[in-house]
Amino acid sequence: MSYLMIFITAIFVNNIVLSQFLGICPFLGVSKKISTALGMGMAVMFVMVLSTIVTYIIYHGILLPYNLTFMNTVAFILVIASLVQMVEIVLKKTSPTMYQALGIFLPLITTNCTVLGVSLLVMQKDYDLAHGVCFAVANALGFTLAIVLFAGIRERLSFVVLPKALQGAPIALITAGLLSMAFMGFSGIGNW
């Protein structure tokens, strides 16, 4: 599969949030302002690419040769949690401004299932490392696109007078459903 096709498919056709429903917690929880949504998207991209590389190396260097592939979920969770902690420590020491910019988003990524999902999908789809990294970047961009679009809509909805029954979570879920349906329009792109 070409890199361009991986990019288009992962961002629009099989969007990790809107089509595969991974990462719904940060999608709903961190999407009240565009700035926080963008920060979360960038933090997810950084950790997702890094964890995809490390989990690929562990899977093909340890789990596959020793026939321990049944342990991949546990190993990947440990890798992602450790990686997030290491990144947090390194950023705190080397780049305090970047650490301040990411703020609460970095620890939240540990529980973001999109990072684990992409690592598992790279192994399931049997991508090599270059295609796996491309897939991770594309999924992170798709996550960022979805959460920023959703945050923009939610910011606009804050100026609208809504019935009391629709305020808060109900209108957020309705909006997420409509955004997901809008992304379904891209489903024909994968059949070029």
Side-chain angles (χ1 to χ4, degrees):
M1 185 180 261
S2 74
Y3 295 108
L4 179 64
M5 194 62 169
I6 289 173
F7 251 82
I8 291 170
T9 304
I11 294 172
F12 299 109
V13 179
N14 294 323
N15 187 287
I16 198 83
V17 178
L18 300 173
S19 295
Q20 298 182 25
F21 306 113
L22 293 173
I24 298 295
C25 295
F27 179 70
L28 293 173
V30 189
S31 61
K32 292 183 179 166
K33 290 176 27 181
I34 291 176
S35 60
T36 57
L38 192 59
M40 181 64 166
M42 294 300 109
V44 164
M45 181 179 301
F46 181 71
V47 172
M48 190 179 289
V49 172
L50 204 56
S51 68
T52 298
I53 293 168
V54 173
T55 55
Y56 183 90
I57 292 168
I58 287 174
Y59 184 81
H60 288 283
I62 298 170
L63 299 178
L64 201 57
Y66 294 106
N67 201 21
L68 297 171
T69 55
F70 63 92
M71 294 288 292
N72 65 352
T73 304
V74 174
F76 290 3
I77 289 171
L78 291 173
V79 165
I80 291 166
S82 303
L83 200 58
V84 169
Q85 290 301 312
M86 286 186 343
V87 167
E88 190 172 5
I89 291 168
V90 169
L91 279 179
K92 194 173 190 178
K93 297 284 184 198
T94 61
S95 178
T97 55
M98 175 75 111
Y99 179 75
Q100 290 291 331
L102 291 176
I104 190 70
F105 303 127
L106 209 50
L108 282 176
I109 295 170
T110 306
T111 59
N112 190 340
C113 58
T114 58
V115 178
L116 176 63
V118 167
S119 294
L120 290 172
L121 284 170
V122 166
M123 302 313 145
Q124 183 183 3
K125 293 176 181 282
D126 201 28
Y127 285 145
D128 61 7
L129 185 57
H131 283 92
V133 169
C134 176
F135 184 71
V137 169
N139 273 293
L141 286 172
F143 176 84
T144 304
L145 175 67
I147 198 168
V148 168
L149 283 174
F150 189 56
I153 294 169
R154 287 184 78 179
E155 278 187 4
R156 296 291 303 261
L157 283 173
S158 66
F159 299 113
V160 175
V161 178
L162 294 169
K164 189 158 181 78
L166 288 178
Q167 293 175 0
I171 195 66
L173 292 173
I174 291 169
T175 305
L178 291 172
L179 192 58
S180 180
M181 286 174 44
F183 269 68
M184 285 176 59
F186 294 114
S187 63
I189 292 177
N191 300 327
W192 293 349

